[in-house]
């Protein structure tokens, strides 16, 4: 009887992993399934999730090197088609699918990524109308961020030169497709802002497929456009093409040529408008001068300007009338005031101390101060007595208060 082989768990898992890894049928597997339990490890960049159908489930992982190549963000409940290989995670003894590629089942990956990013930035308020900056009416420096060799830059230069030749065109050449394009576009926008080198920016390119326009759907480009202090016109593709950059910009133009039309006025039209305003102003000024001349003629026709002496004679006559009225009014006014003064004088005379002295009373003073009570006096004090017709000096020989004994010196 053969002795059974005793294995450790690690040995068993390693053996099973070798079998799975050696099966050519499991080296490349395509699955159509629904995502559940999706976890995005932001620090590592790995995706962990499960794939399930109506009756079964399998664990799956997508490492960072593969995850960063897909344009959309997987979500629970999303149906996808994945490609990968089956192996065993030895530590847990769990077999799982290692996903190398993933595509949405139905809508394309780029279309899904576009809608996901649009929804995300819209919730942040990045497309809000309140954030939009007004375009300058007469931009004298126009920055253009596009490819230096494409048809877009030629169209922009031609239109601007024809419509508003006063404007200076500043081209910042960038790639408009490929992996390097988003970074170059962001750097160009930031450079214009840092140097305050333009009054207005046109960011865009000519038409192309969704893949070719994808640089203008990158989140970094949308945020750079929204953060620009210089107003931005987005001009990407044809009239039917829409990009995330269009929503973030202050104005969306259907084509690069239309962007050039929208950002500057037509110089010839402005000159015609100025000429029209000049003629209108001249007519208004002429009518005003005619009206003022008529007023001046009416004033000049008045008799007073021809014979100024009449003006002074009329004013002198009015002055004489006022003087006569004043002279007539003065006696009546004085009599009225005299009648008011008489009773007041009578009341004042009745209260006068001289009237009291005239009835035989006298005023006693000591050292210039009135004596109002016998209590203030002592024997030997010298007093001055005043009557209506004179004064006398006296000495106190004795004092007596009411119901008190007499005090003599």
């Amino acid at each position: 009887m053969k002795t059974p082989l005793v294995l450790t768990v690690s040995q068993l898992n390693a053996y099973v992993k070798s079998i799975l890894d050696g099966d050519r049928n499991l080296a490349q597997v395509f699955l159509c399934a629904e995502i559940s339990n999706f976890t995005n490890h932001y620090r590592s960049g790995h995706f962990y999730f499960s794939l399930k159908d109506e009756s079964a489930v399998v664990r799956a992982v997508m490492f960072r090197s593969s995850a960063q190549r897909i344009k959309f963000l997987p979500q629970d409940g999303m149906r996808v088609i994945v490609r990968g290989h089956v192996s065993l995670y030895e530590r847990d003894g769990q077999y799982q699918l290692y996903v190398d590629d993933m595509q949405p089942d139905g809508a394309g990956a780029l279309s899904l990524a576009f809608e996901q990013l649009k929804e995300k930035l819209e919730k942040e308020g990045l497309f809000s109308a309140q954030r939009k900056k007004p375009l300058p009416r007469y931009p004298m420096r126009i920055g253009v961020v596009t490819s230096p060799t494409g048809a877009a830059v030629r169209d922009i230069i031609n239109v601007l030169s024809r419509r508003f030749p006063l404007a200076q065109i500043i081209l910042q050449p960038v790639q408009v497709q490929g992996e390097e394009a988003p970074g170059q576009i962001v750097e160009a926008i930031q450079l214009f802002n840092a140097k305050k080198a333009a009054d207005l920016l046109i960011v865009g390119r000519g038409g192309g497929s969704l893949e070719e326009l994808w640089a203008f759907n990158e989140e970094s480009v949308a945020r750079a456009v929204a953060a620009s202090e210089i107003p931005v016109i987005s001009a990407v593709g044809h009239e039917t093409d829409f990009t995330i950059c269009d929503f973030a910009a202050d104005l969306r133009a259907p084509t690069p040529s239309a962007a050039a039309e929208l950002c500057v006025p037509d110089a010839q039209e402005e000159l015609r408008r100025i000429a029209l305003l000049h003629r209108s102003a001249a007519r208004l000024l002429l009518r005003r001068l005619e009206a003022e001349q008529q007023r001046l003629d009416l004033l000049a026709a008045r008799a007073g300007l021809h014979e100024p002496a009449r003006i002074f004679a009329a004013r002198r006559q009015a002055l004489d009338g006022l003087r006569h009225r004043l002279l007539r009014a003065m006696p009546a006014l004085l009599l009225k005031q005299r009648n008011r003064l008489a009773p007041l004088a009578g009341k004042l005379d009745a209260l006068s101390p001289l009237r009291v002295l005239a009835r035989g009373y006298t005023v006693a003073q000591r050292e210039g101060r009135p004596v109002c009570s016998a209590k203030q006096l002592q024997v030997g004090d010298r007093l001055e007595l005043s009557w209506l017709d004179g004064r006398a000096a006296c000495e106190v020989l004795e004092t007596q208060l009411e119901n008190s004994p007499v005090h003599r010196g």
Side-chain angles (χ1 to χ4, degrees), residues 71-200:
K71 297 296 185 181
F72 66 97
L73 179 64
Q75 297 174 347
D76 286 342
M78 183 183 294
R79 290 194 61 82
V80 293
I81 298 174
V82 299
R83 174 177 58 81
H85 66 277
V86 178
S87 187
L88 184 83
Y89 185 39
E90 294 183 56
R91 192 195 69 179
D92 295 345
Q94 175 75 44
Y95 97 89
Q96 57 189 14
L97 181 66
Y98 291 82
V99 178
D100 299 319
D101 189 30
M102 180 186 299
Q103 296 293 331
D105 184 12
L110 293 181
S111 297
L112 180 59
F114 177 91
E115 294 299 331
Q116 286 181 335
L117 181 59
K118 180 173 178 288
E119 181 180 2
K120 173 187 174 181
L121 299 182
E122 193 166 22
K123 286 181 179 178
E124 291 184 20
L126 212 69
F127 307 153
S128 171
Q130 285 72 26
R131 293 176 58 94
K132 307 297 184 184
K133 296 176 287 296
L135 304 184
R137 183 174 178 83
Y138 300 105
M140 302 307 296
R141 298 173 303 162
I142 300 172
V144 180
V145 179
T146 190
S147 168
T149 59
V153 69
R154 293 195 298 271
D155 292 343
I156 291 172
I157 292 173
N158 289 338
V159 173
L160 291 179
S161 301
R162 171 176 52 81
R163 284 178 61 85
F164 200 66
L166 294 175
Q168 178 187 6
I169 302 171
I170 306 170
L171 174 64
Q172 181 62 35
V174 296
Q175 294 183 27
V176 292
Q177 67 184 68
E179 294 183 0
E180 302 295 328
Q184 291 186 13
I185 295 169
V186 169
E187 289 178 4
I189 295 172
Q190 293 174 345
L191 181 64
F192 271 113
N193 279 271
K195 294 184 174 295
K196 301 186 184 305
D199 304 317
L200 181 69

Side-chain angles (χ1 to χ4, degrees), residues 278-292:
H278 182 270
R279 289 194 295 270
S280 298
R283 286 195 297 269
L284 290 174
L285 181 60
L286 182 59
R287 284 201 292 267
R288 180 64 181 271
L289 289 174
E290 290 174 350
E292 294 300 323

Side-chain angles (χ1 to χ4, degrees), residues 322-389:
L322 291 174
R323 182 169 62 82
H324 290 311
R325 287 174 58 191
L326 180 61
L327 292 175
R328 288 196 301 271
M330 283 299 295
L333 180 61
L334 291 174
L335 178 60
K336 181 180 178 180
Q337 295 301 326
R338 189 178 293 113
N339 292 338
R340 287 184 60 202
L341 182 62
L344 294 176
K347 291 180 181 180
L348 182 62
D349 183 61
L351 297 175
S352 172
L354 297 176
R355 298 281 294 180
V356 177
L357 294 178
R359 294 199 297 271
Y361 292 94
T362 185
V363 176
Q365 291 180 309
R366 184 184 61 187
E367 296 178 355
R369 296 183 178 181
V371 178
C372 302
S373 171
K375 294 178 181 180
Q376 297 177 250
L377 300 176
Q378 294 180 358
V379 175
D381 286 346
R382 294 186 63 82
L383 300 178
E384 184 180 86
L385 301 181
S386 299
W387 288 269
L388 181 63
D389 57 353

Side-chain angles (χ1 to χ4, degrees), residues 222-242:
R223 293 194 182 278
V225 168
S228 173
E229 295 181 3
I230 303 173
V232 177
I233 298 179
S234 175
V236 182
H238 299 303
E239 188 168 354
T240 55
D241 296 322
F242 277 89

Side-chain angles (χ1 to χ4, degrees), residues 6-25:
V6 179
L7 301 174
T8 63
V9 174
S10 298
Q11 291 171 330
L12 175 62
N13 285 351
Y15 178 70
V16 174
K17 174 177 169 58
S18 67
I19 294 174
L20 294 175
D21 290 345
D23 190 333
R24 296 181 61 183
N25 293 323

